[in-house]
Amino acid sequence: MEPYSKNKSELETEIKLMRERMIDCAKHYGLTDEKTIRCSQELDRLMLVYQRLFHEQKVNDEVFPWYERVREEKMAYTF
């Protein structure tokens, strides 16, 4: 997957637009049409990029300090 250079709000906007485009394709061409499937795949790709860039960052920001604190406490009790 190529590096993504857009910020969070730009990516959210792109996801929203792709979702609307996919819904329009589904209404016009049907759920199994190649155009709808391509839109769905692109939406999946954008959402994966979003999760990798922003969700994992949030999880790491929340979990890592807690993990480090627990690790340090365990180290303090080892002889």
Side-chain angles (χ1 to χ4, degrees):
M1 187 174 293
E2 74 280 353
Y4 203 82
S5 62
K6 294 186 179 183
N7 67 36
K8 187 174 182 177
S9 66
E10 290 173 327
L11 184 53
E12 288 171 346
T13 299
E14 195 170 346
I15 288 170
K16 180 183 176 193
L17 293 173
M18 183 53 66
R19 183 179 292 123
E20 291 169 0
R21 182 175 172 200
M22 183 192 69
I23 291 168
D24 289 343
C25 281
K27 286 178 181 177
H28 189 265
Y29 300 107
L31 293 174
T32 58
D33 188 81
E34 187 176 328
K35 292 175 184 143
T36 305
I37 292 170
R38 276 187 279 169
C39 286
S40 176
Q41 290 170 339
E42 179 62 15
L43 178 59
D44 289 344
R45 187 189 71 78
L46 290 170
M47 290 170 53
L48 182 61
V49 168
Y50 183 90
Q51 286 179 325
R52 286 185 176 169
L53 290 176
F54 303 108
H55 179 70
E56 289 177 8
Q57 178 184 356
K58 179 181 176 194
V59 168
N60 288 338
D61 290 347
E62 292 173 355
V63 173
F64 190 71
W66 172 84
Y67 173 77
E68 279 298 306
R69 188 174 64 249
V70 169
R71 190 169 150 253
E72 288 172 3
E73 289 172 2
K74 285 183 179 180
M75 295 292 282
Y77 294 110
T78 59
F79 297 92

